[in-house]
Amino acid sequence: MNMNAKIIDQDNKGIGVRVHDNDETEHTVAVGFDGEIQGHSQDGYPDDPAKRTGKENEYVSQARRYAKYYVAKEKGYDVLPWDRDTAAMQRVQTAIESLSDEDFEKYFGTYFDQINSRLPNVTAPVPEPDAVGDDEFVLYLLDVYLDEAGRIEAVSDIHFLYLDDNRERQVVLGDQPLNRDPDARLQLKPNYLPSLEVAQEFFVYHLRCQIRDCYLLRGEEPPEQYRVIGPGLYDAATRYLYEDRPYRPYHKLHADIPGYSLEFDYGFGEQGKEMAKIAGAVADNK
């Protein structure tokens, strides 16, 4: 992967960025100060998205994401979507890691119970939407807010993401305690987490996977510490599933991807990793 960019213009509406993608195609992207793409031209693919291959469409999208990232990095403008801000994700990682056992349970105990709620004899703290059947796909979402000192200020109620009968994404939001964007959103499916201690480690690992996805979605190879296998951003996972996209299934626990590894063991050491890989493969075959 070899994305690169250069700022070529700036006016009172935004910034122009020239991006070269991983297919060596040149893009000119105008990024507004509000983060919106004001214009985009390129010389390598059809202008009509319907006439592009899946890979070509993804290269176009990567160029836009990379342009926003580059403007944020080089100019310091707040143009990144909040859920693609890796610096904020890193701060939330640190905040979760530093919590005492008591404070972790205070902020994340309900979410921990929700994740385990499809296990026998476990009652969900928050009932799933009626449209979600037994064993059907659902994600439990939890927004995390930090204060100015980088400590956890609040978490939201649990939200739900599921697919309706037409396979369209539906989101049911719970209460959001603060009138601003969160610093990160946990987005995990039902699972078995044996203890709160393991959950604390897993939530930090999950954010590590989200950071991995931010790099990949803008066409970059992540730094070595983020070359891990596991669940990250749902939007990324939906793209990884298509064979005609320039990705591998990084979200799948049993994926065999050179240079990437599963580094979370569910509290059971190497045996835990192997069990997770087997469970992932079984789930794929259902």
Side-chain angles (χ1 to χ4, degrees):
M1 296 183 180
N2 189 31
M3 301 288 288
N4 63 80
K6 179 181 180 180
I7 291 175
I8 57 174
D9 191 23
Q10 180 170 344
D11 59 22
N12 61 357
K13 294 182 179 179
I15 295 176
V17 186
R18 182 160 294 141
V19 178
H20 287 88
D21 70 22
N22 289 310
D23 198 37
E24 300 183 357
T25 292
E26 182 177 283
H27 303 251
T28 301
V29 184
V31 181
F33 292 119
D34 59 357
E36 293 298 315
I37 300 298
Q38 299 177 331
H40 183 176
S41 62
Q42 45 78 29
D43 60 6
Y45 317 118
D47 290 330
D48 183 354
K51 295 181 179 179
R52 301 180 200 139
T53 66
K55 181 177 288 188
E56 289 171 344
N57 269 318
E58 194 60 28
Y59 283 146
V60 170
S61 296
Q62 286 180 350
R64 293 183 173 211
R65 298 185 199 111
Y66 192 83
K68 289 184 183 182
Y69 156 75
Y70 194 77
V71 167
K73 180 171 76 80
E74 295 297 318
K75 293 293 188 177
Y77 292 120
D78 185 16
V79 296
L80 288 174
W82 65 265
D83 57 352
R84 297 294 184 272
D85 186 342
T86 56
M89 292 174 183
Q90 289 167 340
R91 291 192 293 270
V92 174
Q93 276 188 302
T94 300
I96 293 176
E97 281 181 313
S98 65
L99 287 174
S100 66
D101 293 346
E102 181 180 355
D103 283 341
F104 180 77
E105 184 171 9
K106 170 186 171 183
Y107 289 114
F108 296 98
T110 300
Y111 191 60
F112 165 77
D113 290 337
Q114 189 75 37
I115 289 173
N116 279 322
S117 64
R118 287 194 176 178
L119 298 174
N121 303 317
V122 178
T123 301
V126 184
E128 294 178 0
D130 292 340
V132 180
D134 294 343
D135 297 326
E136 287 187 349
F137 169 80
V138 66
L139 284 181
Y140 306 133
L141 315 177
L142 189 77
D143 297 336
V144 183
Y145 301 82
L146 302 182
D147 62 21
E148 292 184 359
R151 296 184 294 261
I152 293 177
E153 180 177 359
V155 298
S156 69
D157 285 353
I158 294 169
H159 318 310
F160 297 91
L161 185 155
Y162 66 95
L163 303 179
D164 64 20
D165 292 340
N166 297 316
R167 306 299 293 172
E168 295 292 330
R169 181 186 315 189
Q170 302 295 329
V171 176
V172 177
L173 293 176
D175 182 57
Q176 294 168 296
L178 301 179
N179 189 28
R180 61 177 173 87
D181 290 332
D183 293 276
R185 171 175 284 174
L186 305 184
Q187 35 192 287
L188 292 166
K189 63 184 180 180
N191 202 342
Y192 168 57
L193 296 176
S195 67
L196 285 164
E197 180 182 4
V198 169
Q200 188 168 7
E201 295 173 2
F202 186 55
F203 296 169
V204 171
Y205 185 77
H206 169 50
L207 288 166
R208 190 174 166 193
C209 293
Q210 289 195 22
I211 293 169
R212 170 206 67 203
D213 292 338
C214 290
Y215 279 96
L216 291 166
L217 289 178
R218 63 179 184 242
E220 289 191 291
E221 190 78 60
E224 186 173 354
Q225 72 192 91
Y226 299 113
R227 294 176 194 170
V228 291
I229 299 297
L233 295 169
Y234 175 70
D235 284 346
T238 61
R239 294 174 183 274
Y240 299 160
L241 291 172
Y242 290 96
E243 293 184 358
D244 64 344
R245 304 288 176 89
Y247 301 116
R248 304 289 297 278
Y250 306 94
H251 62 298
K252 294 187 176 183
L253 298 175
H254 61 291
D256 182 11
I257 302 173
Y260 288 73
S261 60
L262 176 63
E263 295 187 9
F264 186 76
D265 62 15
Y266 289 84
F268 298 108
E270 290 301 315
Q271 182 182 10
K273 294 180 184 178
E274 293 306 313
M275 291 168 59
K277 291 177 182 178
I278 293 170
V282 170
D284 254 12
N285 290 327
K286 283 186 176 180

